[in-house]
Amino acid sequence: MEKIIIVENITEFSIKQITESGQAFRWEMETDGSYTGVALGKVINIKQEKNKLIVSGTDEEEFNLIWREYFDLNRNYKIIIEEFKNKDIHLDAAVSYGDGIRILNQDLWEMIISFIISGNNNIPRIRKSIELISENYGDFILEKNGKKYYSFPTPEQLSKASIEDLRGLGVGYRDKYIFETTKSIVSNEVVLDSLSELSIDEGKKELKKLMGIGDKVAYCVLLFACKQSSAFPVDTWVKKILTKFYDFDKTNTKEINKFALDYFGVNCGIAQQYLFYYIRNNNIEL
DNA sequence: GGCCAGGAGAAAA
DNA sequence: TTTTCTCATGGC
């Protein structure tokens, strides 16, 4: 019998918006409107009814210990959103459209590989590759409704894959990046344990030692796995946002980050997520 | 059939 | 130091 708990009084939270906003790749909507996700080596299902969550696959103790932090429920979004709403009409619209988005606190290693795959790629194909990697190199967790779920492999598990093996999973030319990065982690050439304690600049510098990680991917990793809400990833969509909404067309990463921090504030990474989701899902005049 | 996708590395300027 | 070219792949 599966464990089911009910969590009440959850505000500024939409499981749909959170899992469909392009920050996580292993959540899927079920036919009943609930969402099943694989994260932290576990499988959980969440059905949301306004401010109430019906969560299966965990218990209260584990929810408070792990999932509360994963869903960033310890952060007060009311204050952040209020500040964004008063910033300008674009961010106001983006925040309204993305109502309920929170920045997940995901596994560092999984984010590194996931966003290496994301480069010059599209979200459905990124999801597909991550799924295949998990099926082939992760651990079997459980079977539910005829579907088997696998954890994301550890660096040691993934190190068993050759470049050719990885190419077979649809990652394209990123096969070498994944192979080399995995090797760097397994050999302790780059140590992930204390990465979250570094400053944002030091963290980026460390991450960029890994093959396949540049400024954009490093900021995604820092934002989605290291609680660096000032990390401001700039992809093709955010570039459009900056030029069209903010008349800012500089391409230098340092200058962009200075602008983002000065204008949006210390939570510019969170602003970025609302804007990204907004422009990506609306055909706004470009 | 060219263009695009949550870019990065290597070569060239 | 900054710009340009190339990379694998599926969807349109």
Side-chain angles (χ1 to χ4, degrees), chain A residues 54-72:
Chain A
I54 301 155
V55 189
S56 51
T58 189
D59 54 37
E60 288 203 29
E61 186 184 351
E62 187 186 82
F63 185 86
N64 289 327
L65 198 64
I66 298 173
W67 298 109
R68 211 168 266 285
E69 174 63 14
Y70 175 82
F71 285 111
D72 210 23

Side-chain angles (χ1 to χ4, degrees), chain A residues 12 76-89 91-96 99 101 264 267 270-271 274:
Chain A
E12 289 82 45
N76 187 337
Y77 276 74
K78 194 165 285 187
I79 299 170
I80 298 170
I81 290 167
E82 199 56 38
E83 197 180 323
F84 287 165
K85 276 184 171 300
N86 295 321
K87 196 65 82 175
D88 63 70
I89 54 168
L91 190 52
D92 182 28
V95 168
S96 297
D99 183 40
I101 291 181
F264 296 116
N267 292 312
I270 301 177
Y274 284 111

Side-chain angles (χ1 to χ4, degrees), chain A residues 106-121:
Chain A
Q106 303 182 72
D107 178 73
L108 174 57
W109 162 246
E110 183 176 336
M111 288 303 98
I112 287 172
I113 299 301
S114 297
F115 280 96
I116 283 176
I117 295 171
S118 79
N120 197 25
N121 209 341

Side-chain angles (χ1 to χ4, degrees), chain A residues 2 25-31 35-38 43-45 127-128 130-132 134-135 139-151:
Chain A
E2 195 175 25
F25 303 105
R26 302 202 68 196
W27 285 86
E28 204 162 10
M29 190 176 76
E30 305 289 352
T31 51
Y35 285 79
T36 302
V38 190
V43 178
I44 65 167
N45 175 274
R127 293 172 60 96
K128 180 75 178 171
I130 294 171
E131 211 51 44
L132 286 171
S134 301
E135 282 173 19
D139 291 323
F140 172 74
I141 305 173
L142 56 83
E143 183 169 348
K144 193 177 169 184
N145 299 329
K147 184 172 162 53
K148 292 179 175 176
Y149 293 90
Y150 297 84
S151 64

